[in-house]
Structures are given as C-alpha cells and as structure tokens.
C-alpha cells in the first residue's frame, strides 16, 4: 500500500502562503499584508482562501477594522514561522559552507552572564573557530524569550518564570544572581553608615522598567521594611545611559552584582556598602526542544557549558 503523502504536499502548500499568514498577523489586515509581500490584494485573498479550504478551518476572524488569528490561525502562524526560519537557516548554512565559513549563531543574554560567562566562552570559541559569525542581544528575559519563539535567536542565557510557556523549552540552571546598589565615586551614600534603607528610600534611583521582576522585588524590599519605595526614579535597562547618568549626578542604580563589579573594577562606579535583601532567581541556558540547533550553534553552546562549569561549577547538560 502506497504511503499517504503529507497534507502539505497534497495541498501544494506554497511558501508565499506561509509568508502571507505571518504578514497578516503582523499587519492586522490583508491589504497591508499584500503590500509588504508585493502582491495584489485579490491574489493574497485567494492564497488565504485556498489554504483555509484545504485545512477546513478559518485561520482568521474578519473584523470591521482588520483580521485576528483564530486558534487554528495562531497554531498555523507559529509553525509557519518555524518552517520559514528553518528554510532561512538552511540557506544561510549553505552560503556559509560555500564561503568557507561555519555559519552564524545568534545568542540572547541577560546582563549578568553577558558580563561574566559570555566573554570567557566566546573568546575561547572564536580562537578555536574563527570562521564562526556570532551575534549577541542583551535584553530582559521576556524580550529574549519572545525572540527565541520567533526563531530570531538560537538559545538564551536568561530566566524562566511561572508566567512563561515552557512546553517547547529546555532549561539548564546555571547560577543565582545577587543584586546591589551602585553610585558615582564620592557619592554621599558611600560615607560610613550613610547607606541604610531609610536613606536609600529618599535617594534618586535608576531602576529596571515597570513590570520587570527586579523592579517588583526592589519596591517590595522597601515596603517590607515599612517604607515607601523611592519616588524619584528613572526606569531603563540601558547600561550605557545608566553609567553615564551615575557619573554626572547623585542618582543610585540597582544592578546585578556581576555588572556592578565589572564597572567598579574600571573605576566607573562604586558599590554601596549595604547588602540588598532583594534577589533574583537563577538564570540558565534555554533552548527549544522543537528546534534543531545548527552545528555552529551546538559548538558555541558546548563552549558555554564548559565555561559555566568552570565559573559556576555547573555540570554539562545531557540535553546539549
């Protein structure tokens, strides 16, 4: 008995249809989606209609002012992103092999391990494999996980929380992350006995953006002591702005200890002599279980795990 062909072969699924699904999701209506793909709206409508008829479901709700994916549509869009990203990776790897390179690897990291783990690991890997092209995005865990889901990053050094969807993720814990307060050299709060929690509540602070875990725990630290959280704050995750602002003002900032030690070692800031009770959860290596890493990405991941074993005492993961 002949093997039944996969549905996408029988449907003669076109890459343009997958691109159209993503474009409609991003643009919110089929007119703008068609424009981004340089096709007419009637042609786009026919592509979508043919796909919906083949699947036997509606992929989008037609609303007065646009279109919204149905549950079927959300599932199809997610797999469309994976399929197109995989094809893109295939093309990139072929071009890399043709050009004598070993491919490109995109890493996402939060600030702490970006300061401590990545420089050690990447310096080693680039000496051993100078042909690898590596890109790094330093952002919050929420942003990085979104980019990982969109296949824009190969793997992460970040955190997972209860609110995150972990169905297609593998997490290898590496280390916990302490936080501290930093300020410019000569700041009044650096004087002996000056940096108590009550004094810190009156200071001007540079803090993480609203909604971040560290911001929540920072404010909770003051409330637990019966104090109102600092009122005069600048919210940002931009380290370049933060260090410059600290240098030119009496602001204080809350940052991971690894970040603070890096800038303090270069004389940019000083660490306040007070242990903060707010802490961050452990961070680790996050990979996707429904996505195969390229040979180059696996090489970098192994180097990171080896460096993590040296720096944090973390054993290599059997899922690497």
């Amino acid at each position: 008995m002949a093997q039944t062909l996969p549905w996408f072969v029988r449907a003669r699924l076109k890459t343009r249809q997958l691109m159209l699904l993503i474009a409609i999701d991003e643009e919110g209506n089929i007119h703008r989606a068609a424009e981004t793909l340089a096709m007419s709206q009637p042609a786009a409508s026919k592509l979508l209609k043919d796909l919906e008829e083949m699947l036997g479901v509606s992929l989008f709700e037609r609303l007065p002012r646009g279109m919204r994916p149905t549950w079927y549509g959300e599932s199809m869009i997610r797999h469309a992103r994976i399929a197109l990203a995989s094809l893109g990776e295939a093309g990139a790897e072929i071009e890399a092999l043709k050009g004598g390179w070993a491919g490109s690897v995109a890493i996402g990291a939060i600030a702490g391990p970006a300061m401590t783990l990545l420089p050690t690991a990447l310096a080693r890997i680039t000496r051993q494999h100078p042909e690898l092209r590596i890109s790094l995005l330093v952002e919050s865990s929420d942003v990085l996980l979104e980019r990982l889901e969109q296949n824009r990053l190969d793997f992460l050094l970040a955190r997972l929380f209860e609110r995150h969807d972990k169905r297609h993720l593998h997490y290898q814990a590496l280390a916990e992350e302490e936080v501290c307060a930093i300020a410019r050299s000569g700041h009044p709060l650096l004087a002996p006995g000056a940096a108590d929690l009550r004094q810190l509540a009156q200071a001007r602070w540079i803090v993480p953006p609203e909604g971040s875990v560290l911001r929540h725990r920072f404010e909770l630290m003051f409330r637990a002591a019966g104090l109102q959280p600092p009122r005069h704050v600048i919210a940002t995750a931009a380290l370049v702005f933060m260090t410059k602002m600290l240098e030119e003002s009496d602001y204080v900032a809350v940052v991971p200890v690894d970040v603070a030690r890096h800038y303090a070692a270069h004389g940019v800031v000083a660490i306040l002599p007070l242990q903060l009770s707010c802490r961050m959860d452990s961070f680790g290596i996050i990979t996707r279980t429904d996505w195969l890493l390229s040979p180059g990405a696996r090489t970098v991941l192994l180097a990171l795990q080896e460096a993590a074993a040296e720096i944090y005492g973390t054993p290599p993961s059997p899922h690497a």
Side-chain angles (χ1 to χ4, degrees):
M1 182 176 178
Q3 187 176 10
T4 304
L5 292 172
W7 74 267
F8 51 85
V9 176
R10 289 182 280 113
R12 298 181 181 178
L13 183 68
K14 304 175 179 68
T15 55
R16 296 282 276 179
Q17 286 172 312
L18 301 181
M19 295 169 66
L20 179 62
L21 293 181
I22 296 169
I24 296 173
D25 182 46
E26 293 178 348
E27 298 295 334
N29 68 58
I30 198 164
H31 176 71
R32 287 198 299 270
E35 286 183 344
T36 63
L37 297 177
M39 67 170 66
S40 67
Q41 183 170 333
S45 297
K46 186 177 187 310
L47 280 177
L48 179 59
K49 180 174 179 290
D50 290 346
L51 182 57
E52 289 181 322
E53 287 181 351
M54 175 57 204
L55 294 171
V57 295
S58 294
L59 298 176
F60 292 92
E61 294 179 58
R62 275 66 171 178
L63 304 173
R65 293 191 175 182
M67 300 172 71
R68 181 173 60 198
T70 62
W71 281 2
Y72 304 114
E74 288 179 359
S75 177
M76 194 65 196
I77 289 165
R78 182 170 67 84
H79 287 287
R81 291 186 186 278
I82 292 172
L84 291 176
S86 183
L87 289 173
E89 284 290 318
E93 284 188 30
I94 294 297
E95 288 302 314
L97 292 170
K98 285 165 60 180
W101 304 317
S104 59
V105 183
I107 307 168
I110 55 175
M115 290 287 190
T116 54
L117 175 59
L118 279 171
T120 299
L122 296 186
R124 184 178 303 167
I125 200 68
T126 52
R127 285 195 301 268
Q128 297 170 350
H129 302 276
E131 69 279 8
L132 270 176
R133 294 171 295 169
I134 300 172
S135 62
L136 171 65
L137 173 65
V138 180
E139 258 292 358
S140 68
S141 294
D142 285 334
V143 172
L144 296 176
L145 284 162
E146 182 180 346
R147 300 291 178 88
L148 183 67
E149 183 181 1
Q150 296 170 346
N151 302 300
R152 297 182 181 181
L153 297 171
D154 290 302
F155 56 85
L156 311 178
L157 291 165
R159 297 185 182 85
L160 276 178
F161 298 109
E162 283 297 321
R163 65 179 181 273
H164 294 138
D165 184 354
K166 307 173 185 65
R167 287 175 297 175
H168 304 294
L169 300 176
H170 174 258
Y171 175 75
Q172 178 194 357
L174 294 181
E176 290 188 348
E177 191 171 45
E178 297 182 359
V179 298
C180 64
I182 56 175
R184 64 171 176 81
S185 298
H187 193 288
L189 287 175
L190 290 170
D196 60 32
L197 204 57
R198 189 171 298 277
Q199 289 293 326
L200 293 182
Q202 302 302 316
R204 296 177 180 271
W205 282 85
I206 301 175
V207 295
E210 194 78 45
S212 67
V213 175
L214 181 53
R215 175 71 174 273
H216 170 70
R217 294 182 181 177
F218 172 77
E219 294 178 348
L220 196 62
M221 174 180 67
F222 291 97
R223 296 189 190 281
L227 301 169
Q228 286 295 314
R231 295 176 56 193
H232 304 289
V233 300
I234 297 174
T236 181
L239 289 173
V240 173
F241 168 80
M242 180 190 299
T243 51
K244 187 63 175 176
M245 190 71 185
L246 293 181
E247 188 179 8
E248 298 188 359
S249 71
D250 277 343
Y251 271 83
V252 184
V254 57
V255 296
V257 167
D258 289 335
V259 174
R261 287 173 178 164
H262 170 78
Y263 285 113
H266 289 81
V268 178
V269 300
I271 300 174
L272 268 63
L274 177 70
Q275 185 172 2
L276 301 184
S277 60
C278 56
R279 297 174 63 90
M280 294 301 295
D281 296 322
S282 65
F283 62 86
I285 298 173
I286 302 174
T287 54
R288 287 180 52 163
T289 58
D290 59 348
W291 180 258
L292 293 175
L293 292 175
S294 68
R298 289 199 300 271
T299 299
V300 175
L301 180 58
L302 180 59
L304 282 173
Q305 290 175 328
E306 291 173 349
E310 298 170 7
I311 296 171
Y312 307 122
T314 309
S317 169
H319 296 273

